[in-house]
Amino acid sequence: MAKDKIVVEHLTLHYSDGTESLKDINIRIPENAITVLFGPAGGGKSTFLRVINRLNDLADVVHLSGHVFLDGEDILSPKTDVITLRRKVGMVFARPVVLPLSIRENITYGLELAGEKRKVYLAEAVEISLTQAALWDEVKDRLDDPAIALSGGQQQRLALARSLALQPEVILMDEPTSGLDPLSTGKVEITLQELKKIYTIVLVPHSVQQAARTADYAGFFLQGELIEFAQGSSLFTNPKDQRTQDYVEGRFG
């Protein structure tokens, strides 16, 4: 049985506009696996990701209760060093955030910000993270070109590489292939299967089909509730809740 990397207990969150985005969420996310969170828009999936690396601190949250344990430590504690947490828990968004710098500088920027000055280390970090993101072979001869010149699929993998350069333990991904063509999407999905050997990945996919292709474990979110959580192989073929089955079979959403 895989060790739990993240344990969430009774997580409830309300926004200031009165909407309740998360309702008593309980989930155990295993390490070195891809855990997929899927369901209709507005179900709380993105909010859940933001809680895990405290990005919800920047939102109008009027109530937050429960516990989120990362390696046994409650990250919702006021004592949590949020900067350290965000190095440990990387985030990749639907739209790739590319800095107006070169490809190389996009990777080294965060490391230099964290105080890393060793040129040999920075050069190694560039190659290792771009290799892990399946981008090195495509860009190794033009590292000083502007990152903005890359294709959409390459920019998304660069955003992933920038997160990997900080050597996180967990990677959160919010619909990272929603704007990509099928070929680029396939490359990202293949990359994730390799990355899970090193990292714990929590993925909000852009479709049920992607969820089924990538999930080691899967959770179905509906209107702020976690309806069902199981191994991906069983949840998509034999869901226990009728609502999960209806969504998987395309009856709503």
Side-chain angles (χ1 to χ4, degrees):
M1 188 70 181
K3 176 189 171 189
D4 293 326
K5 184 69 174 176
I6 300 168
V7 177
V8 178
E9 296 177 350
H10 304 295
L11 177 64
T12 296
L13 183 148
H14 299 261
Y15 287 117
S16 59
D17 61 5
T19 58
E20 182 177 44
S21 185
L22 296 172
K23 306 173 186 176
D24 196 30
I25 303 295
N26 294 276
I27 189 172
R28 306 177 83 90
I29 296 175
E31 68 177 0
N32 297 119
I34 299 174
T35 296
V36 164
L37 309 176
F38 72 103
K45 307 179 297 295
S46 295
T47 294
F48 180 82
L49 290 188
R50 289 170 177 270
V51 169
I52 296 177
N53 75 343
R54 295 279 296 267
L55 280 176
N56 62 298
D57 290 7
L58 309 174
D60 292 326
V61 175
V62 294
H63 175 79
L64 177 64
S65 61
H67 303 280
V68 179
F69 297 100
L70 175 64
D71 293 329
E73 293 191 19
D74 191 350
I75 66 166
L76 298 185
S77 165
K79 297 177 182 177
T80 298
D81 184 326
V82 177
I83 294 173
T84 301
L85 172 68
R86 289 179 186 153
R87 283 200 66 172
K88 205 171 183 179
V89 183
M91 183 96 173
V92 179
F93 298 95
R95 295 186 64 177
V97 180
V98 175
L99 303 175
L101 302 167
S102 70
I103 296 168
R104 187 197 313 274
E105 290 166 333
N106 262 265
I107 303 297
T108 60
Y109 180 80
L111 291 168
E112 291 176 329
L113 208 60
E116 182 57 64
K117 303 297 182 194
R118 294 169 293 169
K119 294 198 180 305
V120 172
Y121 181 91
L122 292 172
E124 286 179 351
V126 169
E127 181 171 353
I128 290 170
S129 59
L130 287 171
T131 299
Q132 287 181 327
L135 189 57
W136 174 252
D137 288 341
E138 297 173 35
V139 302
K140 62 184 178 184
D141 296 324
R142 49 187 181 122
L143 293 175
D144 294 316
D145 287 1
I148 199 71
L150 296 173
S151 70
Q154 289 173 327
Q155 286 187 25
Q156 188 59 283
R157 281 178 283 148
L158 179 63
L160 174 58
R162 195 167 69 236
S163 178
L164 296 175
L166 293 170
Q167 297 183 322
E169 296 176 22
V170 177
I171 306 169
L172 310 175
M173 308 187 80
D174 193 359
E175 297 193 20
T177 62
S178 61
L180 304 186
D181 60 82
L183 184 62
S184 296
T185 295
K187 285 184 178 181
V188 171
E189 289 180 6
I190 291 169
T191 300
L192 295 185
Q193 296 300 327
E194 288 299 311
L195 291 177
K196 75 180 183 184
K197 298 172 185 175
I198 309 170
Y199 306 98
T200 298
I201 298 171
V202 186
L203 169 68
V204 173
H206 76 265
S207 68
V208 174
Q209 292 77 16
Q210 183 176 62
R213 284 195 305 268
T214 56
D216 294 308
Y217 299 88
F220 176 54
F221 276 71
L222 182 64
Q223 296 177 331
E225 293 184 59
L226 177 61
I227 304 300
E228 188 170 352
F229 183 78
Q231 288 192 334
S233 55
S234 63
L235 191 143
F236 290 104
T237 56
N238 188 29
K240 293 186 167 44
D241 191 288
Q242 186 63 46
R243 291 168 293 180
T244 309
Q245 184 161 341
D246 288 346
Y247 185 77
V248 168
E249 293 179 354
R251 295 198 187 106
F252 74 95

